[in-house]
Amino acid sequence: MQRSALAIITLRRELAARYARINRLWHSARSAYRRLHEAPVQNLTALRGAAQRLDALDRGRAALLRDLKALSD
């Protein structure tokens, strides 16, 4: 089924907004991970949780970027 040009533009804008949001979350998660990693006394449970959150956000960010690139073609 062929989508209209307006539907594609709307979808692209929604994906771009989601990507911008997840990118901000990823940057804050990366900062939190770095702070925990550079702490003089490391809390391994918190460090592991921060690493898992960073990994999940990174996968989501990569998926959104792939979708955005697919819509740009």
Side-chain angles (χ1 to χ4, degrees), residues 15-68:
L15 279 174
R18 287 173 54 196
Y19 179 80
R21 180 179 178 275
I22 202 166
N23 199 36
R24 284 191 304 272
L25 290 172
W26 181 82
H27 280 286
S28 66
R30 185 180 65 170
S31 295
Y33 176 80
R34 283 185 178 174
R35 270 195 315 272
L36 287 168
H37 188 269
E38 293 171 356
V41 177
Q42 291 183 349
N43 180 349
L44 294 181
T45 305
L47 189 61
R48 186 177 298 120
Q52 288 172 345
R53 176 152 173 78
L54 189 59
D55 185 51
L57 287 170
D58 193 40
R59 285 191 310 253
R61 193 171 74 137
L64 283 173
L65 189 59
R66 277 194 310 271
D67 292 346
L68 274 173

